[in-house]
Amino acid sequence: MTMESAYEELAPPAPAVAAMKEGGSKKTKKQRWEGGGEKKYRLVSYHELPDYMKENEFILNYYRSEWPILNAVLSLFSWHNETINIWTHLLGFMVFFGLTFLNLGQYFPQVADLIGHLSWPISKVGENVSSNIGEVLSSAAMFVQTNPAPLASAGMAVVSQTTRWPFFVFLAGAMFCLLSSSACHLLSCHSHRLNVFLIRLDYAGIAVMIVVSFFPPIYYIFQCDPHWQVVYLSAITAAGVGTVYALMSPRLSAARYRAHRALLFVAMGLSGIIPAVHAIAVNWHEPRRNVTLAYEGSMALSYLIGTAFYMTRVPERWRPGMFDLCGQSHQIFHALVIAGALAHYGAAVVFMQARDDIGCPAK
Ligand SMILES: [Zn+2]
């Protein structure tokens, strides 16, 4: 039996649908799977959607429309045309949550202990940390420290750990972006009001992700030249705030402005070329240059290819209806966003470790 016919069989008769909309009795409001027990609302076609949900005319079926919030939440575990969109970014969020936890474990022994108690396989981290209270305090001090790391002596290996907050700002922003995207795909089928709110939250999440991605590279690369930190980080933060402000206008949220929205984000991301060229010029002889370039090149490529899928709506525009459940452009876009974010995470670790190793020259 095809998925479509399965759903058709589950569809309630027309009077039941009318009763659903009018808030009819409990018995008519709900419908049952053939096996009984589980209650479910019907999936509808593109043409049955209210106008505000008509976002992609090449996805023809399996839409949830105006579902109660509980049903929308439970649809996390059923098949419809947003299932993969929800799960790709939810899994991405879990990955970044795990990375945050593991990294916190390196600097805060209490977190490492907690992870140990949860039987997390991080024996290595556990070996490297101590529950000594003095170390706890110095770790905490290091975390909030905003000044450059202590000076490095030439030829010395690890001098001191530099401050970690720009790295955690990136991790927190990535988690915010991925979680708000998941929530948007899961719940925006509930009502027009929630749809508008969640779509704006999703855009804000993307802008936040772009802004916070600037923090580790800019902070660590220009750590010994702090006025460049201020210039670049305040410029991208202002651009992010401006972009979010522009996207809050209902006009720009409309489906037909898809390309304009994407181009705003692309412009924000590509503005990173300016500090990147600056950074390459001043660190030309740094041995880790090629590693970080490879990571950041992969990030840029992932984001740009992902945006191209988002804008062109390939492949579903070639075969409308064929990719309703799996393989649609938005799912590819989501997967590439995670790939790009992970590549950037790899680069951020290298930038941070490089600064740990070389510190700042004496002035
Ligand atoms: Zn999305």
Side-chain angles (χ1 to χ4, degrees):
M1 186 189 288
T2 66
M3 194 127 183
E4 197 164 1
S5 60
Y7 278 118
E8 271 162 10
E9 279 191 18
L10 287 165
V17 174
M20 261 183 232
K21 287 185 179 160
E22 289 156 18
S25 76
K26 274 199 166 177
K27 273 186 182 171
T28 51
K29 248 185 175 178
K30 294 164 180 174
Q31 55 184 139
R32 290 175 181 278
W33 286 96
E34 283 159 303
E38 186 74 25
K39 288 144 187 103
K40 203 157 175 77
Y41 275 73
R42 187 173 72 99
L43 297 177
V44 301
S45 72
Y46 179 81
H47 299 289
E48 293 173 83
L49 291 174
D51 281 347
Y52 71 87
M53 285 184 69
K54 288 186 171 168
E55 212 263 328
N56 187 344
E57 67 270 29
F58 306 120
I59 303 293
L60 303 184
N61 284 299
Y62 311 116
Y63 285 93
R64 299 155 303 149
S65 173
E66 317 239 291
W67 280 20
I69 202 82
L70 184 63
N71 294 57
V73 170
L74 292 176
S75 73
L76 185 61
F77 305 106
S78 65
W79 273 107
H80 45 80
N81 59 21
E82 293 280 21
T83 308
I84 294 182
N85 285 329
I86 298 162
W87 277 100
T88 40
H89 276 182
L90 197 55
L91 290 172
F93 166 80
M94 290 171 188
V95 168
F96 273 87
F97 186 80
L99 290 172
T100 304
F101 219 46
L102 285 176
N103 280 286
L104 279 173
Q106 289 188 337
Y107 311 114
F108 295 101
Q110 304 97 317
V111 179
D113 285 348
L114 177 64
I115 298 169
H117 283 123
L118 294 172
S119 307
W120 202 266
I122 54 143
S123 51
K124 259 189 137 180
V125 175
E127 283 163 23
N128 294 336
V129 295
S130 140
S131 56
N132 178 304
I133 189 70
E135 277 191 33
V136 174
L137 292 173
S138 64
S139 301
M142 194 177 298
F143 181 71
V144 296
Q145 171 201 352
T146 53
N147 294 319
L151 303 181
S153 309
M156 277 180 75
V158 176
V159 178
S160 168
Q161 278 186 341
T162 186
T163 183
R164 259 49 184 164
W165 70 262
F167 181 62
F168 286 105
V169 162
F170 163 62
L171 290 172
M175 285 191 287
F176 172 71
C177 170
L178 294 168
L179 197 60
S180 50
S181 163
S182 258
C184 177
H185 285 286
L186 180 66
L187 302 174
S188 60
C189 66
H190 169 64
S191 65
H192 192 184
R193 265 181 73 181
L194 192 62
N195 179 286
V196 169
F197 171 77
L198 288 171
I199 284 177
R200 289 176 178 181
L201 185 72
D202 193 21
Y203 296 155
I206 298 171
V208 165
M209 172 77 121
I210 297 172
V211 171
V212 299
S213 294
F214 277 64
F215 273 72
I218 300 287
Y219 191 93
Y220 296 121
I221 291 170
F222 297 105
Q223 190 160 348
C224 310
D225 222 344
H227 69 277
W228 285 116
Q229 290 178 325
V230 175
V231 168
Y232 289 132
L233 290 181
S234 44
I236 190 63
T237 305
V241 170
T243 301
V244 170
Y245 183 77
L247 290 170
M248 290 302 120
S249 94
R251 274 191 67 193
L252 258 180
S253 297
R256 64 180 177 282
Y257 289 112
R258 171 198 318 276
H260 298 77
R261 290 194 300 268
L263 289 175
L264 259 178
F265 292 128
V266 167
M268 269 179 79
L270 288 183
S271 70
I273 288 176
I274 299 165
V277 169
H278 183 176
I280 293 167
V282 297
N283 292 289
W284 190 254
H285 299 293
E286 163 61 41
R288 278 164 278 208
R289 183 195 67 196
N290 288 345
V291 181
T292 51
L293 276 178
Y295 273 129
E296 299 295 44
S298 315
M299 173 199 70
L301 210 59
S302 299
Y303 285 159
L304 286 174
I305 297 173
T307 308
F309 275 101
Y310 172 87
M311 285 170 71
T312 57
R313 291 183 287 172
V314 165
E316 65 267 22
R317 71 159 54 243
W318 293 334
R319 290 281 176 96
M322 187 178 232
F323 303 98
D324 288 358
L325 292 171
C326 187
Q328 53 178 272
S329 60
H330 206 89
Q331 297 164 355
I332 300 169
F333 164 64
H334 272 205
L336 286 166
V337 164
I338 293 171
L342 284 174
H344 190 63
Y345 171 86
V349 169
V350 177
F351 288 130
M352 194 166 65
Q353 287 173 348
R355 188 54 68 196
D356 279 350
D357 292 349
I358 59 181
C360 280
K363 286 186 177 160

